[in-house]
Amino acid sequence: MCIPTLTTCLLLARSFLPRGPITASCQVDLTRRMWSTARLAATPAGTTSRGITTTSTRTITTTPPAQSNQSQDSEASFQPHPADVQSIAPTGDKQAWTSSRPYEDWVATHPVYSPEEVNAVKVVHHPRITTGDKLAAGLVWFARRMFDVVTGYKHASPEAARKALAKAGKENASVQNLIKEGYIMSVDQWMARILFLESIAGVPGMVAGTLRHLRSLRLMKRDGGWINTLLQEAENERMHLMTFMKIKNPGLFFRACIIGAQGVFYNAFFLAYIISPRSAHRFVGCLEEQACLTYTQIIDEIERGHIPEWDAKRNPETATKVPGIALDYWRLPSEETTMLDLIKQVRADEAGHRFTNHTLANLDYTSDHNPLGFRHASAKMQGEVPGLSREESIRWSESVEKEMRQKIDAQAKN
């Protein structure tokens, strides 16, 4: 380590020492403050030890909004992660969520969204700059095409589906005829696609979290906030699967396919993460881009009446009810929530994973701290921006650390 870098680290470490008596009330905050950005900030913002360049100039602010489950209007705003708090209903005049199991604290930290946040999610793509980025995107594209063939998915976007129907003059055809002729997918086809997607999507977070955990044990040092974020992602994807399993229980053949796919994908991703963690996170980010696209397509199909089993607006009596596990997990009102609301919640989660993995892919795996381990970005920003650059991650971490230091100093004075 060069002398200037060592000096910088020593100065930053010295700044962590309390300037007054530490009371019990601020002991937890002091521990969190030790998750500083010393290593991340010690490297010039434009480069990393692995040659990752950053050029973004997006403004970052860290002032939390007045309500924990509402994002600020600015796309560059951040807010605390709204975990385990009561959400507002999908529309303002609906009854608030009531837990069916209030005595249980059975899940890890996870987001709860407002209607504005779930509707703000956009289909965005991270630019493919390096060879690793292009390779990851290419692998996702190939896997997506193969998956489309197996599940009968023919359109790359909602716009493409609309154009195909218009070209064939089928805009007013019945749903049954459109399914029979292959223009749209049946609810069973959508369920097969979702169940397979979610069973695979829960693998990367657990693999990456496991390898980071073992690395922390092996090197006998702290991880920098990566492990917790990755394990939260893995559980969130698993909860998606558990939710849709309550709607459709697949047969033995489908389960056998899941076992085979999981065995192949787990080991392949395990090796890929050992070889290049950055490319592995980019791969997951690109995979989540496709997940957002798929759920956007489902939302469009429901709103157009092409999935009548999930269309509570046109078929209020026969539409599928949202499972109780989903109502508890996303804090949704039991009587008012529809399948359309549920799909929007899942899509918002996928946008968060897209944002997280593209952000982690821009960092140095060996030394950088996870900026989202300090405070999560707002759901609105996660829905509109593919991820933070390394420069933005540095500024974000420094801002949060400054807030923590000010809070601890204020508590120490009291």
Side-chain angles (χ1 to χ4, degrees), residues 54-344:
T54 57
T55 58
S56 176
T57 59
R58 183 162 60 241
T59 302
I60 295 180
T61 60
T62 59
T63 304
Q67 297 181 3
S68 62
N69 60 352
Q70 295 283 351
S71 63
Q72 295 181 356
D73 292 336
S74 172
E75 73 168 15
S77 65
F78 289 84
Q79 68 179 31
H81 199 268
D84 294 327
V85 296
Q86 179 172 312
S87 72
I88 62 176
T91 58
D93 58 346
K94 294 181 180 179
Q95 184 179 2
W97 163 81
T98 302
S99 175
S100 63
R101 293 178 286 187
Y103 52 86
E104 291 190 34
D105 184 13
W106 50 284
V107 291
T109 302
H110 63 283
V112 173
Y113 306 105
S114 70
E116 292 77 14
E117 290 168 340
V118 297
N119 290 322
V121 176
K122 298 179 180 178
V123 177
V124 295
H125 301 280
H126 191 280
R128 291 30 166 160
I129 301 175
T130 67
T131 302
D133 294 347
K134 296 176 182 178
L135 177 61
L139 288 174
V140 170
W141 178 87
F142 177 78
R144 164 69 188 268
R145 296 302 299 172
M146 296 299 100
F147 192 41
D148 289 349
V149 172
V150 173
T151 59
Y153 189 94
K154 296 183 178 181
H155 306 296
S157 67
E159 293 75 17
R162 291 175 181 270
K163 290 180 180 179
L165 289 179
K167 184 177 180 180
K170 300 286 185 178
E171 297 98 324
N172 298 322
S174 66
V175 173
Q176 291 75 14
N177 287 337
L178 291 176
I179 294 175
K180 184 178 180 180
E181 296 176 17
Y183 286 99
I184 63 175
M185 292 170 59
S186 67
V187 67
D188 289 336
Q189 289 176 306
W190 279 119
M191 282 302 306
R193 185 178 181 86
I194 291 172
L195 290 173
F196 192 89
L197 174 66
E198 297 298 348
S199 68
I200 296 299
V203 171
M206 184 58 66
V207 172
T210 298
L211 289 174
R212 294 286 308 192
H213 173 75
L214 295 176
R215 180 177 182 272
S216 178
L217 297 177
R218 186 169 61 252
L219 300 181
M220 300 181 185
K221 66 177 184 179
R222 301 185 73 164
D223 174 67
W226 291 56
I227 296 174
N228 193 45
T229 296
L230 294 169
L231 295 184
Q232 288 173 11
E233 175 185 319
E235 185 186 69
N236 182 253
E237 297 286 11
R238 184 178 64 85
M239 291 304 298
H240 293 175
L241 178 63
M242 296 298 102
T243 294
F244 288 106
M245 283 288 294
K246 291 293 184 179
I247 299 174
K248 180 179 176 60
N249 193 6
L252 292 178
F253 177 75
F254 188 90
R255 291 172 180 269
C257 292
I258 294 296
I259 293 174
Q262 184 184 92
V264 172
F265 183 65
Y266 186 99
N267 288 283
F269 191 81
F270 183 90
L271 294 175
Y273 203 87
I274 292 176
I275 296 171
S276 177
R278 181 175 183 269
S279 296
H281 281 296
R282 186 71 73 210
F283 173 86
V284 179
C286 295
L287 191 66
E288 298 295 353
E289 291 176 1
Q290 296 302 319
C292 289
L293 180 60
T294 293
Y295 285 114
T296 298
Q297 175 74 17
I298 295 175
I299 291 170
D300 186 70
E301 293 291 303
I302 295 175
E303 291 176 341
R304 294 166 64 190
H306 288 171
I307 311 179
E309 295 86 351
W310 293 353
D311 189 359
K313 183 178 180 180
R314 296 178 177 86
N315 307 290
E317 300 298 328
T318 60
T320 301
K321 301 298 182 183
V322 176
I325 188 174
L327 301 177
D328 282 348
Y329 186 71
W330 283 285
R331 309 297 193 253
L332 299 170
S334 58
E335 298 299 328
E336 304 293 342
T337 303
T338 66
M339 284 297 297
L340 179 61
D341 298 322
L342 173 60
I343 296 298
K344 289 182 178 181

